[in-house]
Protein backbone atom coordinates (compact mmCIF):
# COMPACT_ATOMS: atom_id res chain seq x y z
CA UNK A 1 0.00 0.00 0.00
CA UNK A 2 2.92 2.38 0.55
CA UNK A 3 3.57 3.02 -3.19
CA UNK A 4 -0.07 4.08 -3.64
CA UNK A 5 0.09 6.40 -0.62
CA UNK A 6 3.29 8.00 -1.94
CA UNK A 7 1.85 8.34 -5.43
CA UNK A 8 -1.35 9.96 -4.15
CA UNK A 9 0.72 12.26 -1.93
CA UNK A 10 2.91 13.49 -4.77
CA UNK A 11 -0.07 13.96 -7.09
CA UNK A 12 -2.13 15.71 -4.41
CA UNK A 13 0.63 18.14 -3.45
CA UNK A 14 1.38 18.85 -7.10
CA UNK A 15 -2.26 19.59 -7.89
CA UNK A 16 -2.51 21.79 -4.79
CA UNK A 17 0.39 23.92 -5.97
CA UNK A 18 -1.01 24.14 -9.51
CA UNK A 19 -4.51 25.13 -8.39
CA UNK A 20 -3.74 27.51 -5.53
CA UNK A 21 -0.86 29.26 -7.30
CA UNK A 22 -3.12 30.46 -10.10
CA UNK A 23 -3.27 34.28 -10.36
CA UNK A 24 -6.84 34.63 -9.06
CA UNK A 25 -6.07 32.39 -6.07
CA UNK A 26 -2.83 34.17 -5.19
CA UNK A 27 -4.98 37.13 -4.16
CA UNK A 28 -6.50 35.05 -1.32
CA UNK A 29 -4.37 34.69 1.81
CA UNK A 30 -5.72 31.22 2.60
CA UNK A 31 -4.64 29.96 -0.83
CA UNK A 32 -1.15 31.32 -0.23
CA UNK A 33 -0.99 29.32 3.00
CA UNK A 34 -2.17 26.21 1.13
CA UNK A 35 0.76 26.55 -1.29
CA UNK A 36 3.16 26.72 1.66
CA UNK A 37 1.49 23.69 3.24
CA UNK A 38 1.85 21.75 -0.01
CA UNK A 39 5.59 22.52 -0.09
CA UNK A 40 6.11 21.40 3.52
CA UNK A 41 4.11 18.23 2.85
CA UNK A 42 6.26 17.61 -0.22
CA UNK A 43 9.34 17.65 2.02
CA UNK A 44 7.73 14.96 4.18
CA UNK A 45 6.86 12.97 1.07
CA UNK A 46 10.51 13.23 0.03
CA UNK A 47 11.60 11.64 3.31
CA UNK A 48 9.00 8.87 3.03
CA UNK A 49 9.94 8.22 -0.61
CA UNK A 50 13.62 8.05 0.29
CA UNK A 51 13.11 5.44 2.99
CA UNK A 52 10.77 3.40 0.79
CA UNK A 53 13.33 3.44 -2.02
CA UNK A 54 16.08 2.51 0.45
CA UNK A 55 14.03 -0.45 1.70
CA UNK A 56 13.22 -1.57 -1.86
CA UNK A 57 16.83 -1.23 -2.97
CA UNK A 58 18.19 -3.27 -0.05
CA UNK A 59 15.56 -5.99 -0.11
CA UNK A 60 15.06 -6.58 -3.82
CA UNK A 61 18.07 -5.20 -5.70
CA UNK A 62 20.95 -5.81 -3.30
CA UNK A 63 19.36 -8.78 -1.52
CA UNK A 64 20.88 -7.65 1.77
CA UNK A 65 19.60 -8.12 5.31
CA UNK A 66 18.01 -5.01 6.79
CA UNK A 67 19.35 -6.00 10.22
CA UNK A 68 22.94 -5.70 9.03
CA UNK A 69 22.62 -2.69 6.73
CA UNK A 70 23.79 0.66 8.07
CA UNK A 71 23.01 3.93 6.34
CA UNK A 72 25.51 6.81 6.44
CA UNK A 73 25.41 8.88 9.64
CA UNK A 74 24.84 12.13 7.73
CA UNK A 75 21.87 10.60 5.94
CA UNK A 76 20.29 9.60 9.24
CA UNK A 77 20.70 13.06 10.77
CA UNK A 78 19.61 15.04 7.71
CA UNK A 79 16.48 13.04 6.93
CA UNK A 80 15.38 12.98 10.58
CA UNK A 81 15.84 16.75 10.67
CA UNK A 82 14.03 17.27 7.35
CA UNK A 83 11.04 15.22 8.49
CA UNK A 84 10.66 17.05 11.80
CA UNK A 85 11.33 20.42 10.17
CA UNK A 86 8.61 19.81 7.57
CA UNK A 87 6.20 18.44 10.18
CA UNK A 88 6.51 21.42 12.53
CA UNK A 89 6.42 23.86 9.61
CA UNK A 90 3.19 22.30 8.36
CA UNK A 91 1.64 22.55 11.83
CA UNK A 92 2.55 26.24 12.10
CA UNK A 93 1.14 26.93 8.63
CA UNK A 94 -2.17 25.23 9.48
CA UNK A 95 -2.47 27.27 12.68
CA UNK A 96 -1.60 30.50 10.85
CA UNK A 97 -4.17 29.73 8.16
CA UNK A 98 -6.83 28.98 10.78
CA UNK A 99 -6.10 32.22 12.65
CA UNK A 100 -6.31 34.06 9.32
CA UNK A 101 -9.76 32.64 8.58
CA UNK A 102 -10.94 33.19 12.16
CA UNK A 103 -10.11 36.89 11.86
CA UNK A 104 -11.75 36.98 8.43
CA UNK A 105 -14.98 35.47 9.75
CA UNK A 106 -15.13 37.06 13.20
CA UNK A 107 -13.72 40.51 12.39
CA UNK A 108 -14.40 41.18 8.67
CA UNK A 109 -13.47 44.86 8.86
CA UNK A 110 -10.15 44.11 10.51
CA UNK A 111 -9.52 41.28 8.04
CA UNK A 112 -9.22 43.69 5.11
CA UNK A 113 -6.06 45.08 6.71
CA UNK A 114 -4.62 41.92 8.32
CA UNK A 115 -5.68 38.94 6.18
CA UNK A 116 -3.82 39.91 3.03
CA UNK A 117 -1.74 37.73 0.67
CA UNK A 118 1.30 39.93 1.35
CA UNK A 119 1.09 39.26 5.09
CA UNK A 120 0.58 35.56 4.39
CA UNK A 121 3.75 35.47 2.27
CA UNK A 122 5.70 37.21 5.03
CA UNK A 123 4.41 34.68 7.55
CA UNK A 124 5.46 31.83 5.26
CA UNK A 125 8.93 33.36 5.03
CA UNK A 126 9.29 33.61 8.83
CA UNK A 127 7.91 30.20 9.85
CA UNK A 128 10.59 28.02 8.14
CA UNK A 129 13.34 30.14 9.67
CA UNK A 130 12.17 29.57 13.24
CA UNK A 131 11.24 25.92 12.74
CA UNK A 132 14.58 25.30 11.05
CA UNK A 133 16.47 26.78 13.99
CA UNK A 134 14.29 24.96 16.53
CA UNK A 135 14.84 21.54 14.91
CA UNK A 136 18.65 21.81 14.74
CA UNK A 137 19.01 19.42 17.74
CA UNK A 138 17.73 16.63 15.48
CA UNK A 139 20.90 17.04 13.42
CA UNK A 140 23.12 17.05 16.51
CA UNK A 141 21.54 14.26 18.56
CA UNK A 142 20.19 11.79 15.99
CA UNK A 143 22.36 8.80 15.18
CA UNK A 144 22.38 5.15 14.25
CA UNK A 145 21.52 2.70 17.02
CA UNK A 146 22.54 -0.56 15.40
CA UNK A 147 20.90 -0.52 11.96
CA UNK A 148 18.12 1.84 13.08
CA UNK A 149 18.23 5.60 12.57
CA UNK A 150 16.98 7.02 15.87
CA UNK A 151 15.90 10.60 16.51
CA UNK A 152 17.40 12.16 19.64
CA UNK A 153 19.33 8.96 20.35
CA UNK A 154 21.69 10.76 22.75
CA UNK A 155 19.97 10.60 26.14
CA UNK A 156 20.36 13.66 28.31
CA UNK A 157 18.26 16.06 30.34
CA UNK A 158 18.13 18.40 27.36
CA UNK A 159 16.86 15.79 24.89
CA UNK A 160 14.20 14.59 27.36
CA UNK A 161 12.84 18.10 27.87
CA UNK A 162 13.22 18.88 24.17
CA UNK A 163 11.26 15.79 23.13
CA UNK A 164 8.36 16.70 25.43
CA UNK A 165 8.32 20.30 24.21
CA UNK A 166 8.34 19.05 20.63
CA UNK A 167 5.37 16.76 21.25
CA UNK A 168 3.47 19.71 22.73
CA UNK A 169 4.33 21.93 19.77
CA UNK A 170 3.47 19.26 17.21
CA UNK A 171 0.31 17.89 18.78
CA UNK A 172 -1.23 19.11 22.02
CA UNK A 173 -0.98 22.88 21.54
CA UNK A 174 -2.11 22.75 17.87
CA UNK A 175 -4.92 20.38 18.84
CA UNK A 176 -6.30 22.80 21.44
CA UNK A 177 -5.79 25.88 19.21
CA UNK A 178 -7.40 24.33 16.14
CA UNK A 179 -10.29 22.86 18.08
CA UNK A 180 -11.10 26.21 19.72
CA UNK A 181 -10.61 28.30 16.57
CA UNK A 182 -12.61 25.98 14.31
CA UNK A 183 -15.42 25.79 16.86
CA UNK A 184 -15.51 29.59 16.95
CA UNK A 185 -15.45 29.75 13.13
CA UNK A 186 -18.35 27.30 12.80
CA UNK A 187 -20.39 29.13 15.45
CA UNK A 188 -19.77 32.50 13.78
CA UNK A 189 -20.68 31.20 10.33
CA UNK A 190 -23.91 29.67 11.63
CA UNK A 191 -24.92 32.98 13.20
CA UNK A 192 -24.06 35.00 10.09
CA UNK A 193 -25.64 32.61 7.56
CA UNK A 194 -28.79 34.77 7.04
CA UNK A 195 -26.63 37.81 6.32
CA UNK A 196 -24.52 35.80 3.87
CA UNK A 197 -27.65 34.66 2.07
CA UNK A 198 -28.72 38.30 1.55
CA UNK A 199 -25.29 39.44 0.43
CA UNK A 200 -25.21 41.32 -2.84
CA UNK A 201 -22.17 39.52 -4.21
CA UNK A 202 -23.37 35.92 -4.17
CA UNK A 203 -20.32 34.73 -6.13
CA UNK A 204 -17.96 36.20 -3.53
CA UNK A 205 -19.99 34.70 -0.68
CA UNK A 206 -19.95 31.28 -2.34
CA UNK A 207 -16.20 31.46 -2.80
CA UNK A 208 -15.76 32.44 0.84
CA UNK A 209 -17.78 29.41 1.92
CA UNK A 210 -15.65 27.14 -0.27
CA UNK A 211 -12.48 28.48 1.34
CA UNK A 212 -13.96 27.92 4.80
CA UNK A 213 -14.97 24.35 3.97
CA UNK A 214 -11.48 23.66 2.64
CA UNK A 215 -9.89 25.07 5.80
CA UNK A 216 -12.16 23.06 8.08
CA UNK A 217 -11.40 19.86 6.16
CA UNK A 218 -7.64 20.47 6.43
CA UNK A 219 -7.85 21.31 10.14
CA UNK A 220 -10.06 18.40 11.15
CA UNK A 221 -8.01 15.97 9.06
CA UNK A 222 -4.96 17.15 10.97
CA UNK A 223 -6.75 16.74 14.29
CA UNK A 224 -7.99 13.26 13.39
CA UNK A 225 -4.71 11.86 12.08
CA UNK A 226 -2.14 13.58 14.28
CA UNK A 227 -3.51 12.95 17.76
CA UNK A 228 -3.35 9.11 17.53
CA UNK A 229 0.24 9.35 16.25
CA UNK A 230 1.42 10.81 19.57
Amino acid sequence: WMPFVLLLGWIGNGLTLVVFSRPKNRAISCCVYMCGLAISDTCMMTVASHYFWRFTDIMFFRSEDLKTYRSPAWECSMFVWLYNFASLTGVCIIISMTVDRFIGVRFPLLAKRICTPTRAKRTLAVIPFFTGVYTIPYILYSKLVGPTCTALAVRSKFTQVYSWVTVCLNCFIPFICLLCLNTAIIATVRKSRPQLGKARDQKSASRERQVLVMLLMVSFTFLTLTMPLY
Side-chain angles (χ1 to χ4, degrees):
W1 55 271
M2 183 58 71
F4 298 102
V5 172
L6 293 175
L7 180 62
L8 288 175
W10 283 107
I11 293 175
N13 287 321
L15 290 176
T16 299
L17 282 173
V18 170
V19 172
F20 289 107
S21 62
R22 296 174 64 184
K24 66 177 182 179
N25 289 330
R26 288 201 297 265
I28 304 174
S29 58
C30 196
C31 294
V32 175
Y33 284 118
M34 285 299 298
C35 289
L37 184 61
I39 294 174
S40 67
D41 287 346
T42 299
C43 291
M44 298 184 68
M45 294 300 302
T46 301
V47 176
S49 299
H50 167 77
Y51 281 113
F52 176 74
W53 171 252
R54 176 70 73 188
F55 172 82
T56 304
D57 180 47
I58 295 171
M59 291 293 293
F60 297 101
F61 294 101
R62 300 187 189 181
S63 298
E64 296 182 16
D65 189 353
L66 285 173
K67 295 181 180 179
T68 60
Y69 176 80
R70 281 170 172 73
S71 61
W74 67 267
E75 181 181 290
C76 171
S77 299
M78 289 306 299
F79 277 96
V80 167
W81 170 81
L82 181 61
Y83 173 83
N84 287 277
F85 162 73
S87 176
L88 185 57
T89 299
V91 169
C92 293
I93 291 174
I94 291 175
I95 293 177
S96 300
M97 183 169 60
T98 307
V99 171
D100 179 273
R101 283 300 86 197
F102 171 74
I103 296 174
V105 171
R106 187 67 179 82
F107 309 102
L109 297 178
L110 187 63
K112 294 180 180 180
R113 181 166 54 89
I114 296 180
C115 303
T116 63
T118 300
R119 190 176 294 272
K121 292 175 183 177
R122 291 175 180 173
T123 303
L124 289 179
V126 171
I127 288 175
F129 173 77
F130 285 104
T131 55
V133 172
Y134 175 80
T135 52
I136 285 177
Y138 282 102
I139 300 177
L140 303 177
Y141 294 103
S142 297
K143 68 176 184 178
L144 293 169
V145 179
T148 305
C149 178
T150 305
L152 302 177
V154 179
R155 295 299 177 184
S156 65
K157 195 68 174 179
F158 170 78
T159 56
Q160 290 178 356
V161 174
Y162 181 80
S163 62
W164 277 105
V165 172
T166 301
V167 169
C168 291
L169 291 177
N170 272 299
C171 182
F172 297 119
I173 294 176
F175 183 88
I176 295 172
C177 291
L178 292 176
L179 190 61
C180 294
L181 289 172
N182 285 316
T183 301
I185 289 173
I186 294 173
T188 304
V189 170
R190 287 176 64 87
K191 289 180 180 179
S192 61
R193 185 173 294 175
Q195 287 77 9
L196 288 175
K198 298 177 181 179
R200 293 181 180 179
D201 191 353
Q202 293 296 324
K203 185 176 180 180
S204 176
S206 176
R207 195 173 185 182
E208 183 71 17
R209 285 194 293 268
Q210 291 176 358
V211 171
L212 284 174
V213 171
M214 175 197 66
L215 168 65
L216 293 174
M217 289 180 63
V218 170
S219 297
F220 284 113
T221 300
F222 171 83
L223 294 174
T224 303
L225 299 180
T226 301
M227 195 66 181
L229 180 64
Y230 290 93

